[in-house]
Amino acid sequence: MCMTKKLILFAIFLLTLLCAQELQSQTIVTLDYMDCFQANADSVASSRPILPKTVRSSNKTALSFVLNYDESIPDSISKSLEVATDIWRNSLNTNSDYKIRINLKLGDLPDGVDVKTSVHYVPYNNIYYPTSLYCSYIQSLPDTQNPDAVITINKNVNWYCGYNTNSTTDYNLTYAFLRSIAIVLGFGSSIHQTTIRGNEIVRFNNAHPSLFDSFLESTNGAILADYKNMCTRQNPDILKFATGQFGDVYISGLVNDSTYRMYTPSTYENGKSLIYLNNSKSLMHYSLNKSDAILQIDTLTANVLNKLGWDVNATQVENFTIVGVDIPETGITSAYTSHSFNLEGKGKQYLNNRKWTFSLQSSDGSDTVVKETYGDLNFSI
């Protein structure tokens, strides 16, 4: 009998320990990301107009957003966030019943901060995942009332809530919201600068790196996620990585890695370094410029989020053309000589998953693939 009681008590202990570990594994932490418009900077990107509502609402994916507002939020501001989430919803091909929850607040933010995006993360396999991604693809969390993020906008800023990309008198709020939602989905490193015992230290926000951190690699082969915080001291390798001393930092595993180069100035910039891309073609370029208004999801931003595990289609309208070398405009040419084709169009080098296929129709009406290549900007048969 005594042995039976001991076994029961041991089983209860193990169950309690497992439950405690499960709760610990789902401990939610918050990462704050700051964004600020550059009021007097020269334009570095081409503004991209908002797509028609019929296009923005064409995706029937199950994924949606739940938005909650402070009572002080004007209708014009809430409408701007709704439009931004519509743009993102049209890009997210996620077969999930989960609804991404965002709370919006007006607040007194410090000088130099126009938008603060507070994103909730949860540890999974020693990596921090944004709860929006974790709950959409892995499993739900016990507390369904917690938002995935809280976006706070500076109430002292003159916000432009319309969709005219030529307006430069005020800050374009929809543009800022589109960037914030990318952050909510997991874009940007968890590395930040904090003060410990009077010293400024660049470190991971938590004990483990974020999912985004795990894909950051420098040109000399250094991987950010391999480093660890050093308690109250600066890990010199983390600082060197974040300031480009190990070479340019990029998102590993993508075609044309150099186009996904991260912003790593020689002096660490809190809120920018390792969070944004150093590529003005992207919505997530490090400079949030008052002169620009990118109101579409570009291919670069979509590809980075896809690397994290999302399924995102770019909404950016691209005009690409397949041009046949020495083939007349009629398209009629000899079938007995070889031919070459090139992909032409602005931004063609940023396309991922490029694939060429040459097929011929068989006698039974089906198509037979004669030749297929991947990754190239040209094709020959």
Side-chain angles (χ1 to χ4, degrees):
M1 180 65 70
C2 183
M3 180 62 70
T4 302
K5 287 183 178 180
K6 286 183 179 179
L7 288 173
I8 292 174
L9 288 173
F10 182 67
I12 292 173
F13 169 76
L14 284 178
L15 182 61
T16 304
L17 181 62
L18 289 171
C19 289
Q21 289 177 340
E22 178 68 17
L23 288 173
Q24 184 181 13
S25 70
Q26 294 183 340
T27 300
I28 293 175
V29 299
T30 303
L31 276 63
D32 290 333
Y33 295 85
M34 312 298 179
D35 211 355
C36 180
F37 278 88
Q38 307 299 309
N40 300 315
D42 294 331
S43 176
V44 295
S46 299
S47 293
R48 299 189 186 101
I50 193 169
L51 297 177
K53 186 174 181 180
T54 53
V55 177
R56 299 198 312 266
S57 305
S58 61
N59 192 342
K60 303 306 179 183
T61 176
L63 185 69
S64 59
F65 291 80
V66 175
L67 308 176
N68 294 303
Y69 310 102
D70 275 358
E71 293 181 357
S72 59
I73 298 288
D75 290 343
S76 57
I77 289 179
S78 62
K79 181 62 177 177
S80 180
L81 180 58
E82 289 168 12
V83 169
T85 55
D86 279 348
I87 294 171
W88 271 109
R89 186 181 187 277
N90 189 54
S91 292
L92 285 163
N93 300 309
T94 302
N95 186 19
S96 171
D97 293 331
Y98 186 72
K99 300 182 188 331
I100 298 176
R101 295 158 297 178
I102 299 176
N103 291 358
L104 179 62
K105 296 182 177 181
L106 277 175
D108 280 312
L109 295 177
D111 290 341
V113 178
D114 296 324
V115 181
K116 180 175 78 170
T117 306
S118 303
V119 187
H120 291 163
Y121 275 74
V122 63
Y124 179 69
N125 291 337
N126 294 325
I127 295 287
Y128 276 94
Y129 281 67
T131 56
S132 59
L133 180 64
Y134 181 87
C135 295
S136 294
Y137 285 99
I138 301 174
Q139 65 181 13
S140 60
L141 292 169
D143 188 353
T144 58
Q145 300 305 312
N146 265 338
D148 295 294
V150 178
I151 300 176
T152 306
I153 60 174
N154 196 328
K155 69 179 185 180
N156 300 311
V157 169
N158 292 321
W159 292 107
Y160 172 68
C161 299
Y163 317 112
N164 183 353
T165 55
N166 296 320
S167 176
T168 57
T169 55
D170 298 310
Y171 298 163
N172 192 301
L173 186 55
T174 307
Y175 180 19
F177 278 150
L178 286 175
R179 287 164 63 93
S180 284
I181 294 171
I183 296 291
V184 174
L185 299 176
F187 201 108
S189 172
S190 71
I191 292 290
H192 74 301
Q193 190 175 59
T194 187
T195 302
I196 299 179
R197 296 180 179 177
N199 297 316
E200 295 293 331
I201 295 177
V202 176
R203 67 200 303 272
F204 289 109
N205 189 80
N206 301 289
H208 302 295
S210 70
L211 183 61
F212 189 92
D213 293 329
S214 68
F215 292 108
L216 294 184
E217 185 174 345
S218 70
T219 50
N220 76 345
I223 298 173
L224 178 60
D226 287 345
Y227 303 125
K228 307 292 183 184
N229 290 338
M230 297 177 64
C231 298
T232 60
R233 295 181 294 119
Q234 175 68 65
N235 183 331
D237 287 335
I238 290 179
L239 182 59
K240 289 177 181 178
F241 189 97
T243 53
Q245 296 180 56
F246 290 156
D248 290 336
V249 176
Y250 56 90
I251 311 288
S252 64
L254 292 172
V255 175
N256 295 321
D257 285 336
S258 61
T259 64
Y260 297 91
R261 186 161 55 99
M262 301 301 297
Y263 182 59
T264 53
S266 57
T267 300
Y268 183 83
E269 293 185 27
N270 208 20
K272 286 190 176 182
S273 294
L274 290 181
I275 295 174
Y276 295 102
L277 293 172
N278 191 0
N279 192 323
S280 61
K281 303 292 184 183
S282 174
L283 168 72
M284 302 307 287
H285 182 247
Y286 69 86
S287 179
L288 177 58
N289 202 314
K290 184 180 178 182
S291 302
D292 302 321
I294 299 175
L295 303 182
Q296 299 176 26
I297 310 303
D298 60 278
T299 303
L300 296 179
T301 301
N303 287 340
V304 171
L305 291 173
N306 289 341
K307 187 69 177 175
L308 301 185
W310 292 104
D311 183 2
V312 181
N313 282 337
T315 59
Q316 178 179 329
V317 177
E318 306 280 14
N319 294 315
F320 298 116
T321 305
I322 295 177
V323 177
V325 179
D326 296 329
I327 296 178
E329 293 183 3
T330 60
I332 300 174
T333 188
S334 173
Y336 298 98
T337 58
S338 62
H339 300 286
S340 298
F341 302 87
N342 298 323
L343 181 65
E344 300 295 341
K346 186 177 180 181
K348 62 184 180 182
Q349 67 271 29
Y350 303 125
L351 284 176
N352 249 24
N353 302 320
R354 295 190 291 265
K355 176 182 176 183
W356 295 85
T357 302
F358 172 50
S359 60
L360 293 174
Q361 193 173 62
S362 302
S363 58
D364 61 359
S366 62
D367 290 333
T368 300
V369 175
V370 178
K371 184 179 180 180
E372 204 166 61
T373 64
Y374 297 84
D376 299 318
L377 293 173
N378 48 65
F379 183 68
S380 61
I381 56 175

